[in-house]
Amino acid sequence: MADAIPVLGPDFGARFAREKRPDCQLYLISPLDAGGAFPERLRRALGAAPVAAFQFRVKGIGEDEAARLAEPLRQVCADADVAFIVNDSVALAKRLVADGVHLGQSDGDVREAREILGREAQIGVTCHDSRHLAMEAGEAGADYVAFGAFHLTTTKPSPYRPGPSILSWWTTLFPTPCVAIGGITPENAPPLVAAGADFLAVCQGVWSGDEIERVRSFTAAMAG
């Protein structure tokens, strides 16, 4: 993959150590119902325009069922050369040989996850609206930090509401990529891109409509 495209992978962090940050890209998150026809929807979305990563996020089911749902999605991502990230569970990420894991503040330690998943795993951390948490995650070796929710969201309601300035602060001082998350749509995305978001994490903004149309709309919004 060309160096100009910020794709999650073994050299993900190194790509951002350069003086000029790559353009913002899309980071898709699964709906809670990731079964049925969803693998085909994901395939359509990933074929519509460049997508950097896909996060598998389901709740309230056992690991065996989660693995069953995740495997076809992991293969869709592999076919499209898109990073496959597991939400919350280091154990499931290891079982699936995923590209990485996304950790909430109560989901474990970055260093422990690194020891379990290996040096090349991509580990992201939810940091809400906290500069302190983000700096701690960076110091622990996180490959990206996620701020949000920037807007009201039904996917994962959050009391935290950072302003775009936290993205500008982060990207001015640190090379580690940052992800903006929470209620993002093509209409409200441009200020986050302008502020410095390296990735826009999106769930309902894509899956609540036609996925091809929505991914292309986000791509246009990120291009300015």
Side-chain angles (χ1 to χ4, degrees):
M1 196 69 68
D3 282 349
I5 301 176
V7 177
L8 287 161
D11 60 347
F12 178 67
R15 293 177 189 273
F16 286 82
R18 299 169 301 178
E19 184 175 341
K20 185 180 183 301
R21 300 176 87 94
D23 293 337
C24 184
Q25 281 207 27
L26 198 56
Y27 180 150
L28 295 182
I29 299 176
S30 73
L32 292 179
D33 182 4
F38 184 71
E40 183 54 33
R41 292 195 72 189
L42 178 60
R43 190 181 305 277
R44 284 163 50 86
L46 299 188
V51 174
F54 170 78
Q55 183 185 127
F56 176 70
R57 178 180 180 269
V58 295
K59 300 290 182 180
I61 62 175
E63 186 177 301
D64 288 346
E65 177 64 8
R68 184 188 70 79
L69 290 173
E71 182 51 41
L73 305 179
R74 187 198 64 77
Q75 188 58 56
V76 169
C77 290
D79 291 344
D81 197 21
V82 170
F84 181 80
I85 307 296
V86 171
N87 178 260
D88 291 352
S89 176
V90 174
L92 182 60
K94 183 174 179 64
R95 175 173 174 171
L96 294 170
V97 195
D99 295 300
V101 67
H102 181 88
L103 301 175
Q105 285 297 313
S106 61
D107 295 327
D109 179 77
V110 172
R111 295 180 181 88
E112 292 177 359
R114 179 77 64 202
E115 185 174 340
I116 294 169
L117 298 177
R119 182 180 62 83
E120 294 185 350
Q122 305 307 316
I123 301 173
V125 178
T126 293
C127 299
H128 304 305
D129 61 353
S130 173
R131 300 183 182 202
H132 176 70
L133 291 177
M135 288 189 289
E136 282 190 335
E139 289 173 0
D143 294 285
Y144 68 85
V145 298
F147 296 109
F150 284 92
H151 300 281
L152 289 174
T153 172
T154 58
T155 301
K156 185 179 180 181
S158 170
Y160 305 101
R161 198 72 74 235
S165 62
I166 198 169
L167 302 169
S168 301
W169 166 79
W170 180 263
T171 55
T172 298
L173 296 177
F174 304 102
T176 301
C178 65
V179 176
I181 189 169
I184 301 173
T185 66
E187 293 72 30
N188 63 32
L192 301 176
V193 176
D198 295 302
F199 295 89
L200 300 181
V202 177
C203 181
Q204 291 304 315
V206 166
W207 308 121
S208 62
D210 178 87
E211 56 272 10
I212 292 178
E213 177 185 335
R214 298 298 283 176
V215 165
R216 289 176 178 171
S217 294
F218 271 105
T219 299
M222 290 186 293

